Amino acid sequence: MRRPFTTRQTLGILLCVLGVQQADAQALDDSTAPGWRFSVTPYFWMAGLKGDVGAFSALPPSSIDVSFADIFSHLDGLPAFVAGEAWHGQWGLLGDVEYLTLKANASTPGPQFSGATLKQWNFNSTLAGAYRVVDAPQVSVDAFVGTRIFYVDNRIDLSAAAIPSRSASLGDTWANAIAGARVNAPLPDGFLFNAYADVGGFGISSDWTWQIYGGVGYRFKSWLTAYAGYRYLDVHHRDGGFLYDVHEQGPQLSARISF
């Protein structure tokens, strides 16, 4: 039976894609181009995780702190990260899907336990409508509104000390309205600068969520652009005994394929 790719092998494949030989760099996408324009962007986000999570309604939450440098040792299974876009003129549709499972030690919710282990299934998907408000040779600016859907399942195993061990698993699904903007600007020698920010929640289905990204890209061919940047995502959501109050941050590598 053929073995699935490990996380390190997947990252190696992505780095090989990023290492395609240099070709002529081109300008940013032109919203005046006729017809539809599409792109698919597989990426890898080496995100650390820090914050409080809860799965017991009668116990305080557990704290978790995993740096992005240690992310490989805490991944449980193969993650999936992919974004896509469709544009017609100045109007666009943006999508992003992420899935990963993490396993790490967490703080105990009291002295009656000797240790805690967290396993977390984490899925989020973003869908937004966009409009290009600035489309100039020097810079393009897109504004967008949409929704971000979360599914998070926390399983916490508490080791016995003063009282017997216990385990609980509690998950929740929620959606946040979001609004944001992104900027792309050409740099000398075929490089590109790009930045992205959004904010949402507004106390409707979660207290808040916000995100920011900044990076540099290089267009190797008309259909292939590689990016490297840094991304930060903050989410706070509570529903009964379920708590997800964390921020994720770390480097992100991506390869955008346009057609």
Side-chain angles (χ1 to χ4, degrees), residues 1-19:
M1 183 174 64
R2 187 177 179 183
R3 296 178 60 189
F5 287 116
T6 65
T7 301
R8 286 183 174 82
Q9 289 171 330
T10 303
L11 180 58
I13 292 171
L14 179 57
L15 292 174
C16 288
V17 172
L18 300 184

mmCIF file of all heavy atoms in Angstrom, residues 1-19:
data_model
loop_
_atom_site.group_PDB
_atom_site.id
_atom_site.type_symbol
_atom_site.label_atom_id
_atom_site.label_comp_id
_atom_site.label_asym_id
_atom_site.label_seq_id
_atom_site.Cartn_x
_atom_site.Cartn_y
_atom_site.Cartn_z
ATOM 1 N N MET A 1 0.848 -1.188 0.000
ATOM 2 C CA MET A 1 0.000 0.000 0.000
ATOM 3 C C MET A 1 0.887 1.244 0.000
ATOM 4 O O MET A 1 1.846 1.339 0.735
ATOM 5 C CB MET A 1 -0.900 0.012 1.235
ATOM 6 C CG MET A 1 -1.864 1.187 1.251
ATOM 7 S SD MET A 1 -3.051 1.092 2.639
ATOM 8 C CE MET A 1 -1.920 1.222 4.025
ATOM 9 N N ARG A 2 0.526 2.179 -0.813
ATOM 10 C CA ARG A 2 1.332 3.390 -0.949
ATOM 11 C C ARG A 2 1.159 4.289 0.273
ATOM 12 O O ARG A 2 0.043 4.561 0.706
ATOM 13 C CB ARG A 2 0.885 4.151 -2.203
ATOM 14 C CG ARG A 2 1.770 5.342 -2.532
ATOM 15 C CD ARG A 2 1.294 5.971 -3.823
ATOM 16 N NE ARG A 2 2.096 7.126 -4.155
ATOM 17 C CZ ARG A 2 1.856 7.892 -5.210
ATOM 18 N NH1 ARG A 2 0.862 7.599 -6.026
ATOM 19 N NH2 ARG A 2 2.611 8.929 -5.452
ATOM 20 N N ARG A 3 2.275 4.742 0.843
ATOM 21 C CA ARG A 3 2.215 5.577 2.035
ATOM 22 C C ARG A 3 1.890 7.010 1.657
ATOM 23 O O ARG A 3 2.345 7.524 0.640
ATOM 24 C CB ARG A 3 3.562 5.539 2.762
ATOM 25 C CG ARG A 3 3.936 4.179 3.298
ATOM 26 C CD ARG A 3 5.295 4.232 3.954
ATOM 27 N NE ARG A 3 5.281 5.177 5.066
ATOM 28 C CZ ARG A 3 6.378 5.554 5.713
ATOM 29 N NH1 ARG A 3 7.558 5.088 5.353
ATOM 30 N NH2 ARG A 3 6.296 6.402 6.718
ATOM 31 N N PRO A 4 1.065 7.724 2.466
ATOM 32 C CA PRO A 4 0.779 9.132 2.194
ATOM 33 C C PRO A 4 2.011 9.980 2.430
ATOM 34 O O PRO A 4 2.931 9.606 3.140
ATOM 35 C CB PRO A 4 -0.323 9.460 3.214
ATOM 36 C CG PRO A 4 -0.108 8.481 4.312
ATOM 37 C CD PRO A 4 0.412 7.224 3.663
ATOM 38 N N PHE A 5 2.008 11.163 1.810
ATOM 39 C CA PHE A 5 3.121 12.091 2.004
ATOM 40 C C PHE A 5 3.158 12.557 3.453
ATOM 41 O O PHE A 5 2.133 12.813 4.069
ATOM 42 C CB PHE A 5 2.963 13.323 1.100
ATOM 43 C CG PHE A 5 3.233 13.037 -0.352
ATOM 44 C CD1 PHE A 5 2.221 13.171 -1.293
ATOM 45 C CD2 PHE A 5 4.490 12.635 -0.766
ATOM 46 C CE1 PHE A 5 2.464 12.909 -2.620
ATOM 47 C CE2 PHE A 5 4.742 12.386 -2.094
ATOM 48 C CZ PHE A 5 3.719 12.513 -3.032
ATOM 49 N N THR A 6 4.356 12.669 4.007
ATOM 50 C CA THR A 6 4.517 13.276 5.322
ATOM 51 C C THR A 6 4.491 14.796 5.161
ATOM 52 O O THR A 6 4.583 15.333 4.054
ATOM 53 C CB THR A 6 5.847 12.856 5.962
ATOM 54 O OG1 THR A 6 6.924 13.396 5.171
ATOM 55 C CG2 THR A 6 5.953 11.337 6.043
ATOM 56 N N THR A 7 4.368 15.501 6.295
ATOM 57 C CA THR A 7 4.350 16.965 6.254
ATOM 58 C C THR A 7 5.650 17.514 5.686
ATOM 59 O O THR A 7 5.659 18.448 4.886
ATOM 60 C CB THR A 7 4.132 17.513 7.671
ATOM 61 O OG1 THR A 7 2.897 16.990 8.164
ATOM 62 C CG2 THR A 7 4.075 19.035 7.670
ATOM 63 N N ARG A 8 6.781 16.913 6.063
ATOM 64 C CA ARG A 8 8.072 17.402 5.559
ATOM 65 C C ARG A 8 8.184 17.187 4.050
ATOM 66 O O ARG A 8 8.728 18.017 3.321
ATOM 67 C CB ARG A 8 9.215 16.698 6.296
ATOM 68 C CG ARG A 8 9.410 17.188 7.734
ATOM 69 C CD ARG A 8 10.603 16.512 8.376
ATOM 70 N NE ARG A 8 10.911 17.051 9.686
ATOM 71 C CZ ARG A 8 10.314 16.713 10.793
ATOM 72 N NH1 ARG A 8 9.341 15.785 10.751
ATOM 73 N NH2 ARG A 8 10.649 17.241 11.963
ATOM 74 N N GLN A 9 7.668 16.052 3.553
ATOM 75 C CA GLN A 9 7.707 15.807 2.110
ATOM 76 C C GLN A 9 6.842 16.812 1.362
ATOM 77 O O GLN A 9 7.207 17.306 0.302
ATOM 78 C CB GLN A 9 7.253 14.378 1.814
ATOM 79 C CG GLN A 9 8.261 13.310 2.232
ATOM 80 C CD GLN A 9 7.694 11.919 2.124
ATOM 81 O OE1 GLN A 9 6.491 11.700 2.277
ATOM 82 N NE2 GLN A 9 8.546 10.951 1.869
ATOM 83 N N THR A 10 5.668 17.124 1.951
ATOM 84 C CA THR A 10 4.786 18.100 1.322
ATOM 85 C C THR A 10 5.449 19.459 1.238
ATOM 86 O O THR A 10 5.393 20.144 0.214
ATOM 87 C CB THR A 10 3.478 18.208 2.128
ATOM 88 O OG1 THR A 10 2.878 16.917 2.206
ATOM 89 C CG2 THR A 10 2.513 19.180 1.461
ATOM 90 N N LEU A 11 6.115 19.883 2.337
ATOM 91 C CA LEU A 11 6.820 21.153 2.321
ATOM 92 C C LEU A 11 7.949 21.132 1.311
ATOM 93 O O LEU A 11 8.197 22.117 0.615
ATOM 94 C CB LEU A 11 7.365 21.458 3.716
ATOM 95 C CG LEU A 11 8.149 22.774 3.876
ATOM 96 C CD1 LEU A 11 7.272 23.948 3.471
ATOM 97 C CD2 LEU A 11 8.632 22.937 5.304
ATOM 98 N N GLY A 12 8.640 19.993 1.175
ATOM 99 C CA GLY A 12 9.719 19.880 0.193
ATOM 100 C C GLY A 12 9.222 20.057 -1.222
ATOM 101 O O GLY A 12 9.870 20.715 -2.057
ATOM 102 N N ILE A 13 8.050 19.475 -1.527
ATOM 103 C CA ILE A 13 7.471 19.631 -2.859
ATOM 104 C C ILE A 13 7.159 21.097 -3.127
ATOM 105 O O ILE A 13 7.424 21.627 -4.214
ATOM 106 C CB ILE A 13 6.207 18.765 -2.986
ATOM 107 C CG1 ILE A 13 6.594 17.281 -2.955
ATOM 108 C CG2 ILE A 13 5.451 19.089 -4.263
ATOM 109 C CD1 ILE A 13 5.407 16.344 -2.865
ATOM 110 N N LEU A 14 6.581 21.778 -2.112
ATOM 111 C CA LEU A 14 6.270 23.185 -2.276
ATOM 112 C C LEU A 14 7.519 24.009 -2.513
ATOM 113 O O LEU A 14 7.551 24.890 -3.376
ATOM 114 C CB LEU A 14 5.532 23.702 -1.039
ATOM 115 C CG LEU A 14 5.142 25.189 -1.048
ATOM 116 C CD1 LEU A 14 4.278 25.498 -2.254
ATOM 117 C CD2 LEU A 14 4.419 25.547 0.231
ATOM 118 N N LEU A 15 8.596 23.715 -1.791
ATOM 119 C CA LEU A 15 9.841 24.465 -1.982
ATOM 120 C C LEU A 15 10.416 24.221 -3.368
ATOM 121 O O LEU A 15 11.020 25.109 -3.964
ATOM 122 C CB LEU A 15 10.851 24.073 -0.906
ATOM 123 C CG LEU A 15 10.504 24.517 0.517
ATOM 124 C CD1 LEU A 15 11.510 23.948 1.510
ATOM 125 C CD2 LEU A 15 10.454 26.027 0.615
ATOM 126 N N CYS A 16 10.236 22.999 -3.893
ATOM 127 C CA CYS A 16 10.691 22.733 -5.262
ATOM 128 C C CYS A 16 9.926 23.584 -6.259
ATOM 129 O O CYS A 16 10.474 24.105 -7.231
ATOM 130 C CB CYS A 16 10.517 21.256 -5.592
ATOM 131 S SG CYS A 16 11.695 20.187 -4.741
ATOM 132 N N VAL A 17 8.606 23.733 -6.036
ATOM 133 C CA VAL A 17 7.805 24.581 -6.903
ATOM 134 C C VAL A 17 8.299 26.014 -6.854
ATOM 135 O O VAL A 17 8.415 26.697 -7.870
ATOM 136 C CB VAL A 17 6.313 24.513 -6.490
ATOM 137 C CG1 VAL A 17 5.496 25.534 -7.254
ATOM 138 C CG2 VAL A 17 5.774 23.110 -6.731
ATOM 139 N N LEU A 18 8.635 26.474 -5.623
ATOM 140 C CA LEU A 18 9.114 27.836 -5.476
ATOM 141 C C LEU A 18 10.471 28.035 -6.137
ATOM 142 O O LEU A 18 10.871 29.153 -6.426
ATOM 143 C CB LEU A 18 9.220 28.197 -3.989
ATOM 144 C CG LEU A 18 7.922 28.116 -3.183
ATOM 145 C CD1 LEU A 18 8.173 28.592 -1.760
ATOM 146 C CD2 LEU A 18 6.823 28.927 -3.822
ATOM 147 N N GLY A 19 11.190 26.950 -6.398
ATOM 148 C CA GLY A 19 12.528 27.061 -6.950
ATOM 149 C C GLY A 19 12.594 26.969 -8.463
ATOM 150 O O GLY A 19 13.664 26.756 -9.022
#
